[in-house]
Amino acid sequence: MATKTQEKMQDTVKVKETITGAEAVIKCLLAEGVDVLYGYPGGAIMPVYDEFYKYQDKIHHVLTRHEQGATHAAQGYARVSGKVGVAIATSGPGATNLITGIADAQIDSTPMVCITGQVAEHLLGTDAFQETDIVGISTPVTKWNYQITKASEIPEIMAKAFYIAKSGRPGPVLIDITKNAQFEEFDFEYKKCTSVRSYAPKTPVVNEKLKDAAELINTAKKPMVVFGQGVILGEAEAEFKAFIEKAGLPSAWTILGLSALPTSHELNVGMVGMHGNYGPNVLTNDCDVLIAVGMRFDDRVTGDLSRYAKQAKVVHFEIDPAEVDKNVKTEVAVIGDAKDSLAQILPLINKNSHTEWLEEFRNHDAIEYDKVIKGVLYPEKDGLTMGEVMKEINNASGGDAVIVSDVGQHQMFACRYAEFNQSKSNITSGGLGTMGFALPAAIGAKMGAPEREVVAVIGDGGYQMTIQELGTILQTKTAVKIVVLNNEFLGMVRQWQQLFFDKRYASTEMVNPDFVTIAKGYQIEAKRVTKREDLASTVQEMMRSKDAYFLEVCVEKEDNVFPMIPTGSSVSEIRLE
């Protein structure tokens, strides 16, 4: 219904006329500052879509080509913008198609609100058409979820959803709304949520813990920092940089921590983990104090836990108490938001430098360069490598682009070789490892940061999992740059088969379509590169384009990404070949 009078007082919106639940959903989104969201309509959510039609000048709905694409686009938007991403779908298969993206957002701590339609309340539990228990299905992979059966619940629940998704350690929230609640009318009033009983998103930093942590850091001879996405999510980049510079701390990153610190920074010593850099992995088992900031010690970082940093005293800066001592025993745990914790510990940290210790990282870098990096960036063989493609993207972007990578070998090459000058620039699926993530996430990222160049780096396998989102690019004219590194294999699986299964390439070789023709069918400029002499100029052409651009680069079919820590091995057993 039309609204006659509306007044805004701080975070409260009052409407002095009854409106439907469907219209209330839109007004809640607007009150939370949502200007773009991603979704796919259907019967159970149609009343809300009818309201989108009326409000299309105030809120931009992006019609993705699959509901999974909607969640990944919302993730890309959230990761680049720092805002809450929003996805919307109908009941049944529409809702279940959101689950992969929701699970991805949960493990990677991405703030997202998903809204699903549901059959009418009186039909719940009757196996009605397109009825699924999406609340039950999504419970393990959401930070919070709720089913609304009365229109009057909508304002309070929507306010809670946005507050919970964004506060503390972020995550996805799902709100399921029955069809009758969308049609019902009620007196609308919206008040932003600022607290929820029994939910404490931020823990006050304990001064004694700060003092204990500072003492360990100040007396360390071989300190090493491993930082993760908590620095980015906490918007603590400046505090983190001041912290490591004051204490002279060599700092390594997880793949989700990448870009929190410029890759060119003198204290940036590279990536830890299975395909990370040689120095930070080996020297993890040589440092005397290991300082973890906003990371969770997952298995791809630690390798064999029984042989991980056993000589070191561990200081863990972490917002989520559940992550402390879960995998690695800490000496001192500083619970709290990274921005607050680092700001408060900075006055307690002594000015220091660890020149000789830092030089050990550089010595390991030289070894890795000779054995691995030189051959990747400046290969003597005829075939193109994924690493040299990343080198040309760096040359063309100057380290200012957002790189959105999918999952597989190309992801590790992208993370290892991409250069970044600013935060929120590396967007990838970390904990869940979702193939098909990159293309829709790049669409969301470009909408979240339209002033920046966004380059999706994708393998030929993952690309075909969400290739239909080229239709979203066609309809929205989103100027993303798409680079498919085509080795005609599921490359990472093939690498494992080569190294650990005697080259039994079971179900990993790909027979691919003509990607260039497909892209042109979606009215996207497209080219294919097969020769080294054409690579740099074509990448430059792609980056200069004001529109969407597709580039297929045919790379070596049986190239591997090294270094590599085999499963079950210690980080110090990293292989260079």
Side-chain angles (χ1 to χ4, degrees), residues 203-217:
T203 302
V205 181
V206 178
N207 288 334
E208 288 305 315
K209 295 294 185 180
L210 290 173
K211 292 176 182 177
D212 292 343
E215 183 177 356
L216 283 176
I217 295 167

Side-chain angles (χ1 to χ4, degrees), residues 72-321:
H72 293 328
Q75 286 178 275
Y77 176 87
R79 295 266 290 271
V80 165
S81 69
K83 301 177 182 178
V84 176
V86 181
I88 186 167
T90 193
S91 63
T96 59
N97 282 342
L98 299 176
I99 291 296
T100 296
I102 292 172
D104 195 287
Q106 173 78 340
I107 200 166
D108 282 354
S109 303
T110 303
M112 182 165 67
V113 170
C114 293
I115 301 166
T116 54
Q118 184 56 274
V119 300
E121 182 181 14
H122 73 278
L123 292 175
L124 291 173
T126 68
D127 293 331
F129 178 66
Q130 290 194 335
E131 180 196 359
T132 56
D133 179 11
I134 194 61
V135 171
I137 290 170
S138 65
T139 294
V141 293
T142 49
K143 189 176 177 183
W144 184 61
N145 63 16
Y146 189 91
Q147 185 176 75
I148 293 174
T149 59
K150 306 295 181 188
S152 58
E153 298 179 284
I154 289 173
E156 179 184 1
I157 298 305
M158 290 287 286
K160 280 186 178 180
F162 278 88
Y163 174 68
I164 291 172
K166 178 66 175 173
S167 59
R169 180 180 181 177
V173 170
L174 183 138
I175 303 302
D176 192 44
I177 310 175
T178 59
K179 198 166 185 178
N180 62 286
Q182 299 172 50
F183 280 121
E184 287 173 2
E185 295 182 345
F186 73 109
D187 292 333
F188 177 83
E189 179 179 332
Y190 191 79
K191 184 177 182 179
K192 283 193 176 184
C193 182
T194 56
S195 66
V196 176
R197 189 176 64 181
S198 78
Y199 170 57
K202 278 191 179 184
T203 302
V205 181
V206 178
N207 288 334
E208 288 305 315
K209 295 294 185 180
L210 290 173
K211 292 176 182 177
D212 292 343
E215 183 177 356
L216 283 176
I217 295 167
N218 288 336
T219 57
K221 302 301 182 185
K222 294 182 176 182
M224 174 179 166
V225 172
V226 178
F227 63 95
Q229 191 185 199
V231 176
I232 298 172
L233 293 173
E235 299 181 342
E237 294 91 344
E239 290 80 3
F240 177 75
K241 184 169 176 283
F243 168 68
I244 65 168
E245 287 179 346
K246 186 174 183 181
L249 302 172
S251 300
W253 36 268
T254 68
I255 63 168
L256 294 186
L258 174 57
S259 84
L261 183 71
T263 49
S264 60
H265 194 283
E266 62 181 0
L267 293 173
N268 190 327
V269 295
M271 181 169 80
V272 292
M274 180 172 283
H275 291 287
N277 293 105
Y278 185 51
N281 274 302
V282 170
L283 295 176
T284 294
N285 281 355
D286 195 26
C287 67
D288 59 356
V289 175
L290 181 62
I291 306 148
V293 183
M295 55 85 71
R296 57 188 180 85
F297 290 112
D298 76 283
D299 62 299
R300 286 298 175 99
V301 166
T302 65
D304 181 5
L305 277 169
S306 68
R307 293 181 287 167
Y308 180 79
K310 290 302 178 182
Q311 80 294 336
K313 293 181 179 179
V314 177
V315 177
H316 197 175
F317 292 86
E318 174 58 46
I319 196 170
D320 185 356

Side-chain angles (χ1 to χ4, degrees), residues 273-278 281 368 372 416-417 495 561-565 574-577:
M274 180 172 283
H275 291 287
N277 293 105
Y278 185 51
N281 274 302
E368 182 180 351
V372 178
R416 283 177 50 81
Y417 294 102
Q495 177 169 335
V561 55
F562 284 104
M564 179 180 184
I565 303 170
I574 188 169
R575 293 175 53 172
L576 292 173
E577 56 187 8

